[in-house]
């Protein structure tokens, strides 16, 4: 069964840091060729938005609101993707979701897998 497990969320004061990690089960790589891994967030009353993504080749993309503060990285050997969040602001408070997108090895398709989400709360 494919599983994406997030960790690292919590409560932090404004200006502080958190590091989110997402571990993908090994089975996901038997199903798809991973193209992109990313972090999304969704606050109450708001749409889910892309925070940061990283392609299989290592190219990164960030939302304007987090540029210069957040850094996404991956560890292929450990099948993980992480998000280092520095200089956190109350506006960053949200549920953060890990996402993995890829192409099935034996199908013409695109698939996306989501973690359960981890809460990040930044106090002022």
């Amino acid at each position: 069964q494919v599983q994406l497990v997030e960790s690292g969320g919590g409560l932090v004061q404004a200006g502080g840091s958190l590091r989110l990690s997402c571990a993908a089960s090994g089975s996901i790589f038997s199903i798809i060729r991973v193209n992109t891994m990313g972090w999304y967030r969704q606050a109450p009353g708001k749409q889910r938005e892309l925070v940061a993504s990283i392609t299989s080749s290592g190219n990164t993309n960030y939302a304007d609101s987090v540029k210069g503060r957040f850094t996404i990285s991956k560890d292929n050997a450990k099948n993980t993707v992480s998000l280092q969040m520095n200089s956190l602001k109350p506006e960053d408070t949200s549920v953060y979701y890990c996402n993995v997108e890829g192409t099935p090895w034996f199908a013409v398709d695109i698939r996306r897998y989501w973690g359960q989400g981890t809460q990040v709360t930044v106090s002022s």
Side-chain angles (χ1 to χ4, degrees):
Q1 183 177 356
V2 174
Q3 288 185 318
L4 270 57
V5 181
E6 300 117 331
S7 63
L11 175 65
V12 66
Q13 290 184 317
S17 299
L18 285 174
R19 184 177 179 85
L20 305 182
S21 295
C22 174
S25 64
S27 63
I28 193 171
F29 303 102
S30 68
I31 299 172
I32 63 170
R33 179 186 65 194
V34 175
N35 298 322
T36 305
M37 295 181 286
W39 287 94
Y40 291 71
R41 66 186 181 188
Q42 186 169 23
K46 296 184 178 180
Q47 294 183 331
R48 185 171 297 187
E49 64 174 347
L50 174 68
V51 178
S53 65
I54 184 167
T55 67
S56 60
S57 62
N59 293 323
T60 58
N61 185 47
Y62 298 92
D64 288 340
S65 60
V66 307
K67 287 182 178 178
R69 300 188 297 121
F70 292 9
T71 302
I72 190 170
S73 62
K74 63 184 179 71
D75 187 330
N76 293 334
K78 297 181 179 180
N79 298 331
T80 60
V81 59
S82 300
L83 184 69
Q84 179 66 46
M85 305 184 294
N86 298 325
S87 302
L88 283 162
K89 304 175 180 179
E91 305 92 272
D92 296 318
T93 295
S94 187
V95 177
Y96 285 71
Y97 298 89
C98 176
N99 171 263
V100 176
E101 175 269 327
T103 305
W105 293 108
F106 304 105
V108 181
D109 197 4
I110 194 75
R111 299 184 183 180
R112 302 178 72 89
Y113 297 89
W114 296 90
Q116 294 294 320
T118 184
Q119 177 70 47
V120 171
T121 302
V122 184
S123 64
S124 59

